[in-house]
Amino acid sequence: MGTRVRLRSALATDQAARDSNEDTAWASDGVFVVADGMGGHEAGEVASSVAVDVVRSLGGTNPSLDDAVRVVREAHRRVRALRAEGERRPGTTLSGVVLTEHAGVPCWLVVNVGDSRTYRMVGGVLEQLTHDHSEVAELVAQGLVAVEDAPHHPRRHVVTRVLGGGASRVEPDLRMFPVSPGDRMVVCSDGLTDALPDARVQAVLRAERHPQAAADRLVREALAAGAQDNVTVVVVDAVAVTRPSDARTGPDVGR
């Protein structure tokens, strides 16, 4: 499949106002993910690192939805096995895309647990592909909090689904759809989206052609906007896609 899809990717990160950086990112081998650790100094950093280390094993394997569930659950088990000082278990979000194949068609497999996000930009229009697993997202869905108030809500950082933590089982949100030339996928921790509205993220992605320039500028602008949390951004472009001549439109599958 490597001869069918040509990707160009980059990542950028900054600890911002925090004492350390508990985010971990990976952008290689067809795996593009961000994990935002929690649990205090060092514990969150270890949790996010462990999760990414497990999930990056999906690279080059053409994983199915079931494969992704199995690996994410293994990451959950590994993070739960960590021990931290005090009573709070370390945990981490995880969001991103994995390059795979379905019926001979190159596809993006989107994976999400928590409130880090994955976006897709096509034709200059940015679309959020993931749903935040957070108390505020639930309140917005119920009509109890306005969308424009969500970024400033006092409960905005309370996540309802994580890798690790107290739950014995985790259900990742998954989605698969064909790769198209010109796709720009963006994965980020909430340090970016707390600081910058989607409209500004879209404007930067339109202005910066190269993934590294886009990722670096998004982090810079988040810091300039007063980001209080670690800011991590992965940008990956589908530069060229060559499908088999007999391949037809692939699936858009959710789980």
Side-chain angles (χ1 to χ4, degrees):
M1 189 177 65
T3 60
R4 299 180 184 174
V5 181
R6 185 158 62 93
L7 303 177
R8 185 167 55 186
S9 64
L11 70 86
T13 188
D14 196 283
Q15 69 185 52
R18 296 296 182 92
D19 293 332
S20 62
N21 195 337
E22 295 183 291
D23 290 355
T24 300
W26 182 264
S28 184
D29 304 323
V31 178
F32 309 93
V33 293
V34 170
D36 180 356
M38 58 201 74
H41 180 62
E42 293 186 354
E45 181 180 349
V46 173
S48 64
S49 178
V50 165
V52 169
D53 189 56
V54 174
V55 172
R56 69 185 178 91
S57 67
L58 289 169
T61 66
N62 289 345
S64 65
L65 295 174
D66 287 341
D67 293 331
V69 170
R70 175 182 52 78
V71 170
V72 170
R73 287 180 176 165
E74 173 61 17
H76 178 62
R77 186 192 68 79
R78 291 270 301 274
V79 175
R80 285 195 83 227
L82 297 173
R83 292 292 180 265
E85 294 182 5
E87 298 180 356
R88 186 181 180 189
R89 285 179 179 268
T92 183
T93 69
L94 178 81
S95 195
V97 292
V98 180
L99 186 65
T100 188
E101 184 176 296
H102 182 90
V105 177
C107 291
W108 298 116
L109 197 167
V110 182
V111 182
N112 190 67
V113 178
D115 63 350
S116 294
R117 293 180 179 178
T118 298
Y119 293 85
R120 180 193 191 195
M121 192 170 78
V122 179
V125 177
L126 189 68
E127 175 192 6
Q128 183 178 339
L129 299 179
T130 54
H131 173 74
D132 294 351
H133 300 140
S134 68
E135 284 193 6
V136 168
E138 292 178 359
L139 293 172
V140 170
Q142 295 167 13
L144 300 176
V145 171
V147 174
E148 58 270 21
D149 294 334
H152 313 291
H153 195 278
R155 303 285 288 176
R156 66 187 181 279
H157 295 302
V158 179
V159 292
T160 56
R161 203 183 306 182
V162 296
L163 301 182
S168 61
R169 187 178 178 88
V170 67
E171 293 293 339
D173 286 347
L174 302 175
R175 179 180 177 187
M176 187 186 294
F177 58 89
V179 179
S180 296
D183 281 350
R184 169 164 277 191
M185 311 300 288
V186 181
V187 189
C188 62
S189 60
D190 64 350
L192 177 74
T193 52
D194 280 351
L196 298 180
D198 283 2
R200 186 58 201 162
V201 174
Q202 177 178 273
V204 171
L205 294 171
R206 285 177 171 178
E208 299 294 348
R209 182 174 180 180
H210 194 281
Q212 191 65 63
D216 288 342
R217 182 169 169 184
L218 285 170
V219 171
R220 286 198 311 270
E221 291 207 7
L223 296 177
Q228 296 299 301
D229 200 357
N230 306 149
V231 182
T232 301
V233 182
V234 170
V235 179
V236 53
D237 291 345
V239 178
V241 180
T242 304
R243 298 189 177 95
S245 59
D246 59 348
R248 298 186 179 184
T249 302
D252 187 334
V253 182
R255 176 168 181 169

